[in-house]
Amino acid sequence: GAVVSQHPSRVICKSGTSVKIECRSLDFQATTMFWYRQFPKKSLMLMATSNEGSKATYEQGVEKDKFLINHASLTLSTLTVTSAHPEDSSFYICSASLGLGSTDTQYFGPGTRLTVL
Amino acid sequence: AQTVTQSQPEMSVQEAETVTLSCTYDTSESDYYLFWYKQPPSRQMILVIRQEAYKQQNATENRFSVNFQKAAKSFSLKISDSQLGDAAMYFCASTSGSRLTFGEGTQLTVNP
């Protein structure tokens, strides 16, 4: 149980275009989903927390208008990188939890590698 | 701010031997959870073990066990009978509300 999928696994796009990444919890309902960014050989950096049906909470320094997050259902959250630039190239990982607060375990998707040319 | 520190960027172990990965954390929370996650070359984050801070008993999962020292804010991971498949980046993490704070990771190499 507790499987989270991400699509696509890899995407290459041109500078200035927008890219959407989907995160789905396959066998449980995820009240809360999280989006992380990971640079090579570095740790995970939390970008935002999203709760189903409400606006995402962004971490300090993360541009809301650049990284649009939608959590429209209990099994799906999307991250859209708008007007992507080469510096947005990174590995993006989502996770999902039941939303029980500090008692909860996050289950991670396999990640999406974004390359902006 | 919550911090998690992993002081060993790299560790190596011989197959079938035991290795311990260190982690210390700093939190003002009274109720929190601690985790070890493994990230193999596929980059899929895999939950290894979880510890509730209010429990004194150390968590174990097969060959994986923790040494949780709450007063010292220390949470080390012991891997017994190391296998080649254990080679990965290991991240220690603690909760702050629903958020996870990760350490910088320890790259574990298992030598045959």
Side-chain angles (χ1 to χ4, degrees), chain B residues 58-107:
Chain B
N58 289 323
T60 62
E61 284 289 343
N62 301 314
R63 297 182 296 107
F64 299 88
S65 62
V66 298
N67 183 1
F68 174 45
Q69 301 291 326
K70 191 172 183 178
K73 294 184 177 175
S74 170
F75 182 61
S76 61
L77 174 69
K78 184 171 86 171
I79 307 174
S80 305
D81 186 25
S82 297
Q83 301 176 358
L84 296 177
D86 294 334
M89 179 74 90
Y90 285 80
F91 291 101
C92 177
S94 69
T95 59
S96 174
S98 63
R99 297 165 75 250
L100 272 179
T101 299
F102 287 91
E104 288 302 308
T106 297
Q107 182 68 50

Side-chain angles (χ1 to χ4, degrees), chain A residues 43 59 102 105-106 108 113, chain B residues 33 37 44 50 97 99 103:
Chain A
S43 188
E59 295 298 300
S102 63
T105 297
Q106 290 184 27
F108 287 82
R113 180 177 300 284
Chain B
Y33 284 67
Y37 283 91
Q44 169 77 62
R50 155 185 152 138
R99 297 165 75 250

Side-chain angles (χ1 to χ4, degrees), chain A residues 88-100:
Chain A
D88 299 324
S89 298
S90 193
F91 193 68
Y92 293 88
I93 307 175
C94 74
S95 70
S97 73
L98 292 171
L100 301 176

Side-chain angles (χ1 to χ4, degrees), chain B residues 5-46:
Chain B
T5 303
Q6 293 179 248
S7 59
Q8 307 152 316
E10 298 178 346
M11 290 284 284
S12 63
V13 63
Q14 289 296 126
E15 196 175 2
E17 297 294 308
T18 296
V19 65
T20 299
L21 308 183
S22 302
C23 173
T24 58
Y25 62 94
D26 190 15
T27 181
S28 57
E29 305 278 326
S30 58
D31 182 23
Y32 57 94
Y33 284 67
L34 298 162
F35 300 86
W36 279 96
Y37 283 91
K38 164 185 175 181
Q39 188 179 42
S42 68
R43 302 192 76 172
Q44 169 77 62
M45 293 286 284
I46 300 167

Side-chain angles (χ1 to χ4, degrees), chain A residues 3-111:
Chain A
V3 178
V4 177
S5 70
Q6 263 182 259
H7 179 81
S9 57
R10 288 174 180 266
V11 58
I12 301 172
C13 69
K14 292 183 178 179
S15 188
T17 62
S18 294
V19 173
K20 181 185 283 190
I21 302 169
E22 290 187 349
C23 177
R24 293 182 185 271
S25 57
L26 299 184
D27 52 2
F28 68 103
Q29 293 188 323
T31 304
T32 307
M33 287 187 169
F34 304 84
W35 287 95
Y36 295 86
R37 185 170 179 176
Q38 187 180 31
F39 291 102
K41 299 188 185 298
K42 294 293 185 183
S43 188
L44 280 70
M45 181 184 76
L46 179 64
M47 299 174 67
T49 302
S50 73
N51 290 295
E52 185 263 340
S54 61
K55 289 185 178 180
T57 301
Y58 289 81
E59 295 298 300
Q60 193 172 9
V62 178
E63 298 177 59
K64 300 179 184 181
D65 296 331
K66 177 115 182 114
F67 298 101
L68 300 178
I69 291 170
N70 184 281
H71 190 167
S73 77
L74 286 172
T75 59
L76 173 66
S77 176
T78 59
L79 168 67
T80 301
V81 183
T82 62
S83 186
H85 288 94
E87 57 266 29
D88 299 324
S89 298
S90 193
F91 193 68
Y92 293 88
I93 307 175
C94 74
S95 70
S97 73
L98 292 171
L100 301 176
S102 63
T103 64
D104 219 357
T105 297
Q106 290 184 27
Y107 297 94
F108 287 82

